[in-house]
Amino acid sequence: DTGVSQNPRHKITKRGQNVTFRCDPISEHNRLYWYRQTLGQGPEFLTYFQNEAQLEKSRLLSDRFSAERPKGSFSTLEIQRTEQGDSAMYLCASSLATTGANVLTFGAGSRLTVL
Amino acid sequence: EDQVTQSPEALRLQEGESSSLNCSYTVSGLRGLFWYRQDPGKGPEFLFTLYSAGEEKEKERLKATLTKKESFLHITAPKPEDSATYLCAVQGLSGGSYIPTFGRGTSLIVHP
């Protein structure tokens, strides 16, 4: 297994454009998380899935953001009508579903720059 | 709501100069406390999970400890390759949630 894969690694876009990021988790992991990280800050939770079900979304998450995980495999995160404040590193992580503390395995991230 | 505060924000050490990083947390029941290492431009890499007060875990020059209110990451005789941002995260028991909450991290630079 090659770990968690994220594409593209870098995306530069103009304000108002739509962007989509893809995450391929570790194959046996059934939980998938999206976090956002800006410079000097820790990862901020956006949303997570267990299998194909989206179980929780951050209350801070704008309705311009949408995530899917069809068939419980890869996931996509789409940002519509991008704003400069959306510039950040978007991190995907996956884990096994357990009743205890679940260790997240992160991908390398997708860096978004909105001009 | 789970909260994590890390200190200091940044730490500069000379090679071989031991020190500790602090993580203070607030949760309504602890499912687990995590330490991750993050190198520039990369995703966080898992180091340790601690579950209950008094627990300790070690890996090479790193040792993590846990009390009911805080965790420490002790770095013994650090080397330049230990330079990174160290992130602390907690996962609480409230509402059946399985979402780790992260602190801002401590940026560690070790000079040769």
Side-chain angles (χ1 to χ4, degrees), chain A residues 9 31 33 35 37 40-43 45 48 56 59 89 91 98-104 106-108 111, chain B residues 1 31-32 34 36 38 41-46 49 51 87 91 96-105:
Chain A
R9 293 292 316 279
R31 284 191 186 141
Y33 298 76
Y35 282 81
Q37 187 176 29
Q41 302 295 314
F45 169 74
Y48 94 103
E56 198 156 337
R59 290 172 299 202
M89 175 76 88
L91 293 165
T98 68
T99 55
N102 51 310
V103 174
L104 271 57
F106 282 87
R111 180 167 296 283
Chain B
E1 182 177 328
R31 200 185 297 272
F34 310 90
Y36 288 82
Q38 186 173 26
K42 296 186 177 181
E45 177 184 350
F46 171 74
T49 307
Y51 298 96
L87 295 165
Q91 191 175 339
S97 172
Y98 295 93
I99 302 168
T101 298
F102 284 82
R104 290 186 172 184

Side-chain angles (χ1 to χ4, degrees), chain A residues 13-30:
Chain A
T13 191
K14 293 182 178 180
R15 188 178 55 186
Q17 298 294 306
N18 299 343
V19 296
T20 298
F21 300 114
R22 176 179 171 125
C23 172
D24 288 272
I26 292 172
S27 56
E28 61 266 32
H29 284 181
N30 46 6

Side-chain angles (χ1 to χ4, degrees), chain B residues 83-100:
Chain B
S83 297
T85 295
Y86 291 86
L87 295 165
C88 174
V90 295
Q91 191 175 339
L93 291 170
S94 61
S97 172
Y98 295 93
I99 302 168

Side-chain angles (χ1 to χ4, degrees), chain A residues 65-85:
Chain A
F65 287 69
S66 62
E68 294 183 340
R69 193 182 182 197
K71 302 179 182 178
S73 56
F74 72 92
S75 176
T76 58
L77 177 69
E78 182 183 16
I79 308 173
Q80 296 182 325
R81 305 181 302 282
T82 53
E83 301 173 357
Q84 288 186 326

